[in-house]
């Protein structure tokens, strides 16, 4: 009897301890759900409620939508946004597909160099391309005469928006298409060659059908990015109004919050439609590579390889021309009269215009986004994938985790105004703080980080958690000792993604800053409005340089972490 008593007490203690660990996981999942509801779902709901209210807060149902439909100027902006987005999509899609085809289906040299150059626009705010185009084709531009010679009167307006957006969204489209074209089975081409099929027919019957889902996704992403971009139309749009600039004018300029909410919902509609179509397409997509598939290896063809090298060289030269002009203009003493190199614009931006404080704020916001965003997203993904229980809350968290992919930054920022600036909101103290800017940026880019973390976690066998549970090891110890080291490369990729996007984002924070919490990307807009185009170019170059340095540091960190934690991936014989 005396020996049995301690054994039963021990068993009960173990069960209680294990039960407490499960409850801890449930509490953490509930906490993440609360955070996503507070900082994502509630601001979006606030937009909907604002669109159904009048200026005095009275409930007016759909009167604001009807008033919008009766306003010709606003309808013109809607049409402008749609047709510009369509034109950019029709231009970028074939250009990026040909570039991706050259990288994956030719033996041309310098593939890594060309691909690296095309990724440069990701390291700078989107408006860098707009600033460069103004120096190339603006009123005092280098090639203004040539532009007018081909029938374009000025770069401001639709022509400038289209060209700048093409440069800004090209790398996004390219990455999707490279992935699509990389998933090819060489056996299909070998069978076609054995049957004497011509190159054109192979392209139409094998290559295009295999890449059609990638093309659809790339087209949808391009359309949505252009439709919701704010920086480029603001800098080079002139009097050509689009939905993104209308939101800013209605909310900041006219304080017409109900009508601004209506425009925000219109901006949200194509993004939600894009997300829905992309989800439907991905479900219908069948596996391109089976267990017996043979990776496709292109064959050398001197004439074809030279042609592809020439094409990629032209595209890379255009990207470098945009960046080079921004750098050159930022160093010119007085454009276009005195082109002697000087640091005048950098001094004006960092010192006289007090953009140095904004630049430091950007670094702090980017670091906070990378650190806390990576921790929150990865922890949430781990709890969803590797723990059990609370299925209803899990479903809510999964839904909210992918929702930011369908929410443009401008819409999210506007929702933050309505929600956090509302009277009696206990979270209202966060408004205009750098903390809220950081939270908004994390939420804005939450989905990509979440999908990255889920992909890395699904690669881990669930036996790790099963063995840990059988040994009564708490899940957080398994998380710290096993999951984190194994998933370290994915964590670094997530942190780099958060940092770069936090440095370059404009739309997500344009409504939320104060003079004390202004960030560098917003300061560029202010310098452009003040006519200090040289200083604006200098600040854009500084952001691109900071993003490049950060990328190199993350690559160095990844190399060190791989050596310390990924030795198990290599085998010695």
């Amino acid at each position: 009897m005396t020996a049995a008593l301690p054994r039963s007490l021990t068993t009960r203690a173990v069960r209680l301890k294990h039960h407490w660990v499960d409850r801890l996981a449930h509490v953490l999942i509930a906490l993440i759900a609360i955070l996503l509801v507070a900082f994502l779902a509630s601001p979006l709901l606030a937009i909907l409620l604002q669109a159904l209210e009048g200026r005095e807060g009275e409930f007016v149902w759909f009167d604001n939508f009807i008033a919008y439909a009766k306003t010709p100027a606003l309808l013109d902006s809607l049409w402008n946004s749609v047709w510009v987005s369509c034109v950019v999509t029709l231009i970028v899609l074939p250009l990026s597909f040909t570039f991706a085809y050259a990288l994956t289906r030719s033996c041309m040299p310098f593939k890594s160099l060309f691909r690296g150059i095309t990724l440069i626009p990701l390291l700078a705010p989107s408006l860098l391309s707009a600033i460069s185009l103004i120096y190339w084709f603006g009123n005092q531009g280098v090639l203004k005469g040539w532009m007018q010679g081909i029938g374009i009167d000025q770069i401001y307006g639709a022509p400038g928006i289209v060209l700048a957006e093409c440069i800004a969204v090209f790398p996004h489209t390219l990455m999707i298409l490279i992935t699509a074209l990389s998933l090819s089975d060489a056996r299909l081409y070998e069978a076609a060659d054995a049957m004497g099929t011509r190159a054109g027919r192979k392209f139409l019957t094998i290559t295009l059908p295999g890449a059609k889902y990638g093309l659809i996704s790339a087209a949808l992403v391009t359309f949505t990015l252009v439709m919701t971009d704010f920086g480029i139309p603001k800098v080079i749009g002139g009097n050509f109004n689009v939905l993104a600039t209308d939101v800013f004018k209605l909310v900041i300029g006219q304080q017409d919050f109900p009508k601004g909410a209506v425009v925000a919902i219109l901006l949200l509609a194509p993004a939600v439609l894009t997300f829905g179509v992309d989800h439907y397409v991905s479900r219908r997509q069948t596996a391109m590579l089976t267990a017996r598939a043979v990776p496709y290896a292109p064959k050398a063809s001197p004439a074809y390889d030279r042609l592809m090298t020439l094409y990629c060289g032209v595209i890379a030269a255009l990207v470098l021309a945009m960046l080079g002009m921004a750098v050159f203009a930022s160093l010119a003493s007085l454009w276009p009269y005195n082109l002697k190199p000087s640091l005048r614009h950098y001094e004006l931006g960092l010192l006289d215009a007090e953009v140095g404080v904004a630049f430091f704020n950007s670094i702090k916001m980017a670091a906070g986004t990378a650190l806390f965003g990576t921790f929150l997203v990865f922890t949430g993904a781990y709890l969803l994938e590797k723990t059990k229980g609370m299925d209803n809350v899990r479903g809510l968290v999964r839904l909210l985790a992918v929702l930011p992919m369908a929410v443009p930054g401008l819409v999210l920022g506007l929702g933050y105004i309505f929600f956090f600036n509302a009277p009696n909101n206990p979270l209202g103290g966060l408004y205009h703080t750098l903390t809220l800017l950081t939270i908004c940026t994390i939420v804005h880019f939450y989905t990509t980080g979440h999908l990255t973390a889920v992909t890395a976690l699904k690669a881990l066998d669930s036996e790790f958690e099963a063995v840990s549970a059988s040994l009564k090891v708490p899940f957080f110890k398994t998380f710290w000792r096993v999951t984190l080291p194994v998933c370290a490369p994915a964590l670094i990729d997530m942190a780099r993604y958060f940092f770069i996007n936090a440095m370059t984002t404009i739309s997500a924070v344009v409504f939320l800053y104060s003079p004390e919490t202004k960030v560098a990307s917003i300061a560029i807009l202010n310098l452009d409005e003040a006519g200090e185009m040289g200083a604006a170019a200098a600040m854009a170059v500084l952001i691109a340089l900071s993003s490049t340095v950060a990328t190199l540091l993350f690559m160095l960190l990844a190399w060190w972490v791989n050596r310390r934690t990924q030795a198990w991936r290599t085998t010695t014989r």
Side-chain angles (χ1 to χ4, degrees):
M1 289 292 292
T2 57
L5 183 59
R7 189 180 301 115
S8 63
L9 289 177
T10 303
T11 303
R12 183 180 178 188
V14 171
R15 288 177 179 172
L16 286 175
K17 181 179 180 181
H18 186 62
H19 178 75
W20 174 83
V21 169
D22 290 340
R23 292 302 182 203
L24 176 61
H26 297 165
V27 169
L28 292 176
I29 291 177
L31 179 61
I32 291 176
I34 292 172
L35 291 175
L36 289 175
V37 168
F39 295 103
L40 175 60
S42 296
L44 294 180
L45 180 61
I47 291 179
L48 178 60
L49 294 177
Q50 190 73 46
L52 300 177
E53 294 179 353
R55 283 181 173 269
E56 303 300 326
E58 72 279 12
F59 197 68
V60 296
W61 288 98
F62 297 104
D63 290 356
N64 292 321
F65 292 89
I66 297 173
Y68 179 90
K70 293 181 179 179
T71 308
L74 295 179
L75 288 180
D76 289 342
S77 298
L78 174 60
W79 169 242
N80 290 341
S81 293
V82 171
W83 78 258
V84 163
S85 300
C86 290
V87 169
V88 173
T89 302
L90 292 175
I91 294 174
V92 169
L93 204 59
L95 291 178
S96 56
F97 182 83
T98 306
F99 201 100
Y101 193 84
L103 293 178
T104 57
R105 303 300 174 87
S106 76
C107 294
M108 70 175 193
F110 313 117
K111 288 184 179 181
S112 298
L113 176 62
F114 286 138
R115 186 174 183 180
I117 290 174
T118 57
L119 294 179
I120 289 177
L122 296 177
L123 302 176
S126 60
L127 50 77
L128 176 67
S129 58
I131 294 174
S132 295
L133 284 175
I134 291 175
Y135 279 107
W136 278 112
F137 304 104
N139 293 332
Q140 296 177 324
V142 177
L143 300 179
K144 178 184 177 181
W146 175 84
M147 178 189 68
Q148 293 179 339
I150 62 174
I152 302 176
D153 293 333
Q154 61 176 358
I155 196 65
Y156 302 98
I161 294 176
V162 169
L163 290 176
E165 293 288 3
C166 286
I167 297 169
V169 303
F170 184 88
H172 298 274
T173 309
L174 179 64
M175 288 188 293
I176 297 173
L177 293 177
I178 287 177
T179 302
L181 289 171
S182 298
L183 302 176
S184 297
D185 191 345
R187 296 177 302 169
L188 297 175
Y189 293 90
E190 292 172 357
D193 291 336
M195 298 175 64
T197 307
R198 294 182 178 180
R201 186 169 178 81
K202 286 191 292 185
F203 179 81
L204 293 175
T205 58
I206 301 176
T207 303
L208 278 183
K212 65 180 178 180
Y213 294 112
L215 284 167
I216 294 173
S217 295
L220 294 172
V221 168
T222 301
F223 182 88
T224 303
L225 288 174
V226 177
M227 189 83 174
T228 59
D229 184 51
F230 171 75
I232 288 176
K234 184 71 170 63
V235 171
I236 203 172
N239 295 323
F240 187 84
N241 293 321
V242 294
L243 287 181
T245 53
D246 274 357
V247 171
F248 187 80
K249 292 175 183 177
L250 288 170
V251 174
I252 302 300
Q254 304 175 23
Q255 299 290 302
D256 191 346
F257 296 128
K259 196 166 290 184
V262 171
V263 180
I265 292 175
L266 291 177
L267 278 175
L268 185 62
V272 173
L273 178 63
T274 296
F275 177 75
V277 173
D278 187 63
H279 179 69
Y280 172 77
V281 166
S282 64
R283 291 183 61 185
R284 290 182 60 87
Q285 184 174 7
T286 56
M288 296 301 298
L289 290 180
T290 63
R292 299 180 180 179
V294 178
Y296 180 84
K299 298 178 181 179
S301 176
Y304 171 72
D305 293 341
R306 284 195 295 269
L307 180 62
M308 291 294 99
T309 303
L310 177 62
Y311 173 80
C312 292
V314 171
I315 297 296
L318 291 175
V319 174
L320 290 177
M322 292 299 103
L323 177 64
M325 177 55 77
V327 174
F328 181 78
S330 69
L331 294 172
S333 297
L334 182 62
W335 182 276
Y337 308 106
N338 182 6
L339 302 181
K340 181 180 179 180
S342 73
L343 297 177
R344 171 178 173 269
H345 296 305
Y346 290 88
E347 293 174 355
L348 174 64
L350 291 175
L351 300 178
D352 297 347
E354 298 183 354
V355 183
V357 176
F359 191 78
F360 184 63
N361 286 338
S362 286
I363 296 293
K364 290 194 295 184
M365 186 184 78
T369 302
L371 178 62
F372 297 108
T374 301
F375 173 78
L376 175 65
V377 172
F378 190 79
T379 301
Y382 178 84
L383 292 170
L384 289 177
E385 297 296 324
K386 301 299 184 179
T387 62
K388 305 295 182 182
M390 295 188 71
D391 292 340
N392 292 334
V393 177
R394 287 174 186 276
L396 175 64
V397 173
R398 291 183 192 276
L399 173 63
L400 294 178
V402 298
L403 183 59
M405 182 180 290
V407 180
L410 204 66
V411 175
L412 185 64
L414 190 61
Y416 272 49
I417 286 185
F418 297 151
F419 181 69
F420 291 98
N421 200 30
N424 303 320
N425 187 339
L427 298 175
L430 292 173
Y431 193 61
H432 278 166
T433 65
L434 202 60
T435 300
L436 187 62
L437 268 67
T438 303
I439 294 173
C440 181
T441 307
I442 292 173
V443 173
H444 183 204
F445 300 106
Y446 192 100
T447 300
T448 300
H450 174 77
L451 295 178
T452 302
V454 168
T455 302
L457 289 168
K458 284 185 179 295
L460 293 179
D461 198 326
S462 58
E463 291 295 325
F464 286 112
E465 282 68 32
V467 171
S468 298
S470 66
L471 295 175
K472 308 306 179 186
V473 177
F475 74 89
F476 50 83
K477 287 189 178 180
T478 306
F479 175 79
W480 180 258
R481 294 177 180 177
V482 178
T483 308
L484 276 182
V486 173
C487 295
L491 285 168
I492 295 174
D493 287 342
M494 290 165 58
R496 177 176 58 188
Y497 173 81
F498 276 124
F499 187 95
I500 299 303
N501 282 282
M503 285 294 298
T504 59
T505 187
I506 297 175
S507 58
V509 297
V510 70
F511 293 123
L512 306 178
Y513 70 93
S514 68
E516 293 77 22
T517 59
K518 183 190 303 180
V519 293
S521 57
I522 302 301
I524 295 174
L525 288 177
N526 295 341
L527 288 171
D528 173 67
E529 290 179 347
E532 297 291 347
M533 186 65 69
M539 294 304 100
V541 170
L542 276 181
I543 291 179
L545 182 61
S546 300
S547 299
T548 303
V549 172
T551 299
L552 295 176
L553 290 176
F554 276 114
M555 292 173 62
L556 181 62
L557 177 62
W559 173 80
W560 180 80
V561 168
N562 285 339
R563 290 192 61 186
R564 295 292 300 270
T565 65
Q566 305 301 308
W568 61 274
R569 294 182 183 270
T570 60
T571 58
T572 57
R573 296 182 180 178

